[in-house]
Amino acid sequence: METEEEDREEQYTDPGGQRLVLPEDGHGWKKYGQKFIKKRGKFRSYFKCQKQNCVAKKRVEWSSPDDIRIWYEGSHNHASSTQGTSSSAANQYNLYAQVFGSDQPPSRPHDQDA
DNA sequence: AGCCTTTGACCAGCG
DNA sequence: TCGCTGGTCAAAGGC
């Protein structure tokens, strides 16, 4: 439906020196931090929308270039950069996108000690 | 020149 | 009370 699946591949550098391929959402994201979640044994990157009116945030968690998890937090104040031929789903509220299949929301069900 | 990326440190909240 | 983690910000460097 409103799922604008722009399958573009963006490359980000992994602390290990690898290249991660993230699907472009049609927005400009600015990376503002990266941390290693010991509780999960995975890396987590923090992205923020470049628009000042945009308070949307993007988070990427991955343990391997083949196992990446991405979810969005907040909502966009402007339509997707990718000219929405039709109505873009950029005005949705909290939504977490599962690019690599279905998974869990941003909420941590429980922190299993590592 | 501008823009983006990366790392470290700091802070806060919670157990 | 302390420790720990997670999250954000800042600065610098590079292209």
Side-chain angles (χ1 to χ4, degrees):
Chain A
M1 309 252 238
E2 62 276 298
T3 331
E4 243 185 291
E5 299 171 24
E6 300 288 332
D7 289 306
R8 213 198 247 170
E9 301 176 340
E10 191 138 337
Q11 296 145 50
Y12 285 105
T13 32
D14 172 285
Q18 291 205 30
R19 212 78 120 156
L20 296 175
V21 187
L22 311 180
E24 181 49 77
D25 306 72
H27 287 285
W29 301 98
K30 183 225 262 177
K31 188 186 207 154
Y32 69 89
Q34 192 165 292
K35 271 287 224 2
F36 177 73
I37 310 304
K38 301 156 186 189
K39 288 189 167 172
R40 302 211 88 199
K42 292 186 180 166
F43 281 104
R44 201 177 254 175
S45 300
Y46 303 88
F47 292 88
K48 216 161 150 181
C49 195
Q50 283 183 302
K51 306 282 201 224
Q52 199 235 289
N53 290 341
C54 216
V55 67
K57 289 192 216 151
K58 179 189 200 179
R59 309 211 183 165
V60 186
E61 186 182 294
W62 76 88
S63 62
S64 165
D66 282 323
D67 189 21
I68 313 180
R69 176 140 44 240
I70 307 174
W71 75 78
Y72 300 84
E73 199 170 318
S75 52
H76 287 285
N77 280 270
H78 63 104
S80 324
S81 192
T82 12
Q83 45 176 281
T85 321
S86 356
S87 340
S88 335
N91 282 336
Q92 299 293 315
Y93 251 62
N94 239 357
L95 60 121
Y96 48 95
Q98 296 115 10
V99 201
F100 283 80
S102 41
D103 235 305
Q104 63 204 3
S107 316
R108 298 164 275 268
H110 232 252
D111 285 65
Q112 294 212 359
D113 194 86

